[in-house]
Amino acid sequence: MANTSQPMRRTALLASAVAVLGLLTACGDDSGTSSAPRPSGAVEASRTAGPDSGTTTAPAVGAAPGDTGGSASASVRTDGRCHTSALSAAVGRVDPGAGQRNFPIVLTNTSEGTCTLYGYPGAAFVDASGKQLGPDPRRAPASPQTVTLAPGKSAWAGLSFSSPQISGARTATPAALLVTPPDEREPIKVTWTAGEVPVGGNASSVSVTVLDAGTGP
């Protein structure tokens, strides 16, 4: 009987040791040494968190770089003035009278928008090489008014000088008249076909008037 009970006692002790070992292993897992993966819901919440959470949100679909969601319309600022590039120039038919030769200088709006002219045009006679003949015309006293030109509409100014045969001034025959719109620097070249003009002996012999609506008097 003594020999039979001893092996059974050893078996019971071995079983108790295995049970204790299993209990220690289970306690180790609960202590956090081996953690399970985070639920997918936690990851999704991190992606959709707002600005207060410190995360960065992606821009809306279709937004341009730097777009904050507001709309900004591009606008082109213009002063409304007729620039040289928007105009054509011509010299009308001579209107003689009382020893004078009078020509309308006509500026026409060739653009697709409305613009304005105010004041006197510049005028200069030049030879074939582009050299100016005579002094700049004097400005006839007047009160300028704004002339509004719709597309295709014109304004005119009078260019006048005494007939050289009467004034006795030194003359030349220009190749062109350079017409500069008010407040512009770039002139428009118009072929001159009206013969000789005074270029010396009387600095005031050529005059120009303010611009007015239309193509002539």
Side-chain angles (χ1 to χ4, degrees):
M1 292 295 291
N3 293 335
T4 302
S5 60
Q6 187 173 3
M8 294 179 61
R9 191 176 292 112
R10 289 178 179 175
T11 301
L13 291 173
L14 181 60
S16 298
V18 171
V20 171
L21 181 61
L23 180 61
L24 292 175
T25 303
C27 290
D29 291 340
D30 292 342
S31 65
T33 56
S34 176
S35 60
R38 293 179 62 191
S40 59
V43 176
E44 201 63 32
S46 175
R47 290 177 180 172
T48 58
D52 291 340
S53 66
T55 61
T56 302
T57 57
V61 175
D67 190 0
T68 59
S71 61
S73 58
S75 61
V76 178
R77 294 185 178 183
T78 59
D79 53 15
R81 180 164 52 83
C82 294
H83 298 278
T84 301
S85 59
L87 298 168
S88 65
V91 176
R93 182 185 301 179
V94 62
D95 179 22
Q100 290 285 112
R101 304 189 71 190
N102 308 300
F103 300 86
I105 300 174
V106 182
L107 293 173
T108 302
N109 181 6
T110 58
S111 73
E112 296 179 355
T114 298
C115 60
T116 61
L117 292 170
Y118 179 86
Y120 298 84
F125 293 111
V126 296
D127 62 17
S129 66
K131 180 181 178 181
Q132 182 170 337
L133 301 172
D136 292 336
R138 66 177 178 85
R139 294 179 173 183
S143 298
Q145 295 184 354
T146 299
V147 181
T148 301
L149 297 184
K153 296 300 182 179
S154 302
W156 72 283
L159 180 73
S160 302
F161 53 84
S162 298
S163 174
Q165 290 79 10
I166 296 175
S167 66
R170 181 166 57 86
T171 64
T173 301
L177 176 68
L178 300 183
V179 180
T180 306
D183 301 313
E184 291 289 293
R185 294 185 177 182
E186 188 68 24
I188 304 170
K189 186 176 181 179
V190 181
T191 301
W192 182 261
T193 60
E196 61 183 2
V197 300
V199 294
N202 185 349
S204 304
S205 60
V206 181
S207 65
V208 64
T209 67
V210 297
L211 286 158
D212 198 1
T215 58

